[in-house]
Amino acid sequence: MKFEGQLTDFVVKIKSWARELGFSELRIADVDPGIAEIRLQKWLACHFHGEMNYMAGHGTKRSRPDELVPGTRRVIVARMNYLSSDALDWKDTEQARMSDVLAARVSMYARGRDYHRVIRSRLQKLADRMQEEIGSFGYRVFADSAPVMEVAFASKAGLGWQGKNNLLINRNAGSLFFIGEMLVDLPLPVDEAVTSHCGQCRRCIDACPTGAIIGDKLIDARKCISYLTIEFKGVIPIEFRPLMGNRIYGCDDCQLVCPWNKFAEKTHIDDFSVRHELDSATLCDLFAWTEKEFLNNTEGSPIRRIGYECWCRNIAIALGNALRSKLDDETGKQILNMLSEKRKHASEMVTEHIDWAMNQSNESD
Ligand code: SF4
Ligand code: SF4
């Protein structure tokens, strides 16, 4: 092999090219999943994955990259910050919106361009650059798009540690970043894992509105608002609706309270700039979108994948939660009018949520 004996130098170059491509950090793990494989199997056996059948559908391919892509010897894991560069005092702003019942809360990661495409295309460019240097090698790139246990391998590579909220936490950057992987058949030198710095902290566990963090690194996805608003396509169980508050796409609460996010870094990637004022929109602004507007406004956004029906379902619940709080008469009437207008053309599933929402005006907190 042309670069034999020069692998360490090659890795230094890979890391430098990754930074040029907008990645904040890149590290390398071997393909042994260790204890993470057993944890995954137990988690699946408890049905904590809900309707995310793709999580169970790949058998051990999910935990063994060399079964997913035969010949794989290393997992290159890279992270890319997503916190918008416009986000001044982002923590205070997010917390203020948490208590504003009329604010529409869209998870921070989803306010810009679809990260899957951004990360995949940049990893592809990185692979091209690597091939220019050493010639052809076997690889595949992924960004939350295939059955790779990305947090487990990222933590093995030392990109951070798996926090109690199950997210990757980095000592210098918190958790507000995306992760992408390149599986390669190259025997690159691996990086060391880092130790956990969660310590006695349990802020994420205590802050979770639905009690979805049921143990250290153990999430019951069926209770998680990210799952309920994005992955779950059906009728949201009534017991979760009041707990969802004004979260209409995902949930950031277990990240907002994490002390390591005081180190969260702003992104340099324009693709992640906020679109359609999703950091400041009200529930009424977004509920007013027609299906055509939804499709136009979410073009190239991760939000599009939930579809208009689930979008209306989620906002209807949040509007119901707003109606339960003490609103002035005018605002209460405006919301009820919007709900009843939307009901005229809504599917059976959305109608059920709208009816629930309208009934909340009789159940004020
Ligand atoms: S995303 Fe929200 S609901 Fe899910 S575990 Fe974190 S705090 Fe709980
Ligand atoms: S909030 Fe505390 S326990 Fe949770 S991930 Fe952050 S440091 Fe760990």
Side-chain angles (χ1 to χ4, degrees):
M1 199 178 296
K2 185 178 162 191
F3 60 97
E4 205 160 3
Q6 299 170 351
L7 289 173
T8 307
D9 290 349
F10 184 50
V11 167
V12 171
K13 287 183 183 173
I14 297 173
K15 292 186 179 188
S16 159
W17 296 326
R19 277 191 297 275
E20 285 166 23
L21 285 164
F23 290 103
S24 318
E25 202 176 348
L26 175 150
R27 291 172 71 99
I28 299 167
D30 65 28
V31 293
D32 176 5
I35 193 165
E37 182 174 83
I38 297 162
R39 288 179 63 91
L40 173 67
Q41 282 162 359
K42 284 189 182 162
W43 186 75
L44 291 169
C46 293
H47 300 287
F48 290 146
H49 58 298
E51 292 186 0
M52 295 185 285
N53 293 328
Y54 60 88
M55 298 279 240
H58 297 272
T60 52
K61 281 185 182 169
R62 192 172 166 76
S63 48
R64 298 182 194 173
D66 48 340
E67 285 185 13
L68 181 66
V69 180
T72 297
R73 298 177 76 176
R74 296 290 183 261
V75 185
I76 297 179
V77 203
R79 66 173 188 84
M80 190 177 271
N81 298 322
Y82 63 72
L83 183 61
S84 167
S85 48
D86 317 324
L88 301 171
D89 302 326
W90 65 273
K91 236 176 170 180
D92 293 346
T93 309
E94 295 305 319
Q95 252 140 13
R97 286 176 67 72
M98 201 185 279
S99 44
D100 174 357
V101 294
L102 297 173
R105 289 178 65 207
V106 171
S107 190
M108 288 182 279
Y109 82 84
R111 296 173 187 171
R113 187 173 162 75
D114 192 341
Y115 62 97
H116 298 94
R117 300 181 196 192
V118 177
I119 303 239
R120 255 201 315 268
S121 81
R122 292 186 187 225
L123 282 174
Q124 182 57 54
K125 284 187 184 145
L126 180 61
D128 294 344
R129 186 70 194 81
M130 290 163 66
Q131 303 225 66
E132 275 171 32
E133 184 81 5
I134 59 159
S136 175
F137 63 90
Y139 74 92
R140 259 178 79 184
V141 298
F142 300 103
D144 196 21
S145 57
V148 181
M149 294 176 69
E150 55 184 16
V151 173
F153 284 101
S155 109
K156 193 153 198 233
L159 215 49
W161 69 92
Q162 201 164 355
K164 290 180 189 170
N165 59 6
N166 213 29
L167 298 171
L168 190 73
I169 317 283
N170 182 290
R171 222 176 158 161
N172 303 311
S175 59
L176 305 183
F177 49 77
F178 300 119
I179 307 171
E181 305 84 45
M182 189 192 307
L183 308 189
V184 296
D185 64 359
L186 305 170
L188 302 172
V190 296
D191 289 300
E192 298 244 323
V194 294
T195 48
S196 166
H197 293 279
C198 280
Q200 297 305 308
C201 176
R202 45 172 291 129
R203 287 191 207 179
C204 53
I205 298 172
D206 296 338
C208 177
T210 54
I213 309 176
I214 52 175
D216 185 0
K217 309 184 202 64
L218 193 56
I219 310 283
D220 184 345
R222 297 166 301 181
K223 295 181 175 175
C224 174
I225 295 169
S226 282
Y227 166 80
L228 290 168
T229 54
I230 301 171
E231 305 286 345
F232 182 69
K233 304 295 178 227
V235 172
I236 294 189
I238 285 178
E239 69 263 31
F240 294 123
R241 297 183 193 177
L243 305 173
M244 287 166 62
N246 56 354
R247 300 167 194 81
I248 61 161
Y249 188 96
C251 168
D252 288 328
D253 291 30
C254 55
Q255 302 202 82
L256 283 174
V257 294
C258 179
W260 293 100
N261 272 327
K262 68 173 173 255
F263 301 115
E265 295 172 332
K266 304 262 173 80
T267 187
H268 306 297
I269 310 288
D270 290 343
D271 290 306
F272 300 146
S273 297
V274 176
R275 297 173 163 198
H276 302 289
E277 300 178 338
L278 288 173
D279 56 345
S280 56
T282 66
L283 294 170
C284 293
D285 293 337
L286 301 185
F287 201 57
W289 286 1
T290 61
E291 183 161 13
K292 194 164 172 226
E293 285 169 321
F294 171 82
L295 292 173
N296 285 338
N297 294 343
T298 58
E299 176 87 51
S301 146
I303 296 176
R304 198 173 214 212
R305 63 190 262 240
I306 69 167
Y308 186 60
E309 195 184 20
C310 289
W311 177 251
C312 292
R313 172 198 69 179
N314 296 349
I315 307 177
I317 291 175
L319 286 170
N321 290 330
L323 284 173
R324 235 186 11 262
S325 64
K326 287 184 180 52
L327 297 173
D328 62 73
D329 287 353
E330 181 101 3
T331 311
K333 258 191 227 154
Q334 187 202 352
I335 292 176
L336 285 168
N337 282 341
M338 286 189 91
L339 286 164
S340 98
E341 273 307 303
K342 189 74 79 183
R343 193 182 189 286
K344 289 180 186 161
H345 308 285
S347 67
E348 199 179 320
M349 191 270 276
V350 175
T351 301
E352 196 274 345
H353 293 81
I354 289 178
D355 290 346
W356 175 86
M358 293 176 84
N359 275 332
Q360 299 311 298
S361 57
N362 308 320
E363 313 263 332
S364 69
D365 286 339

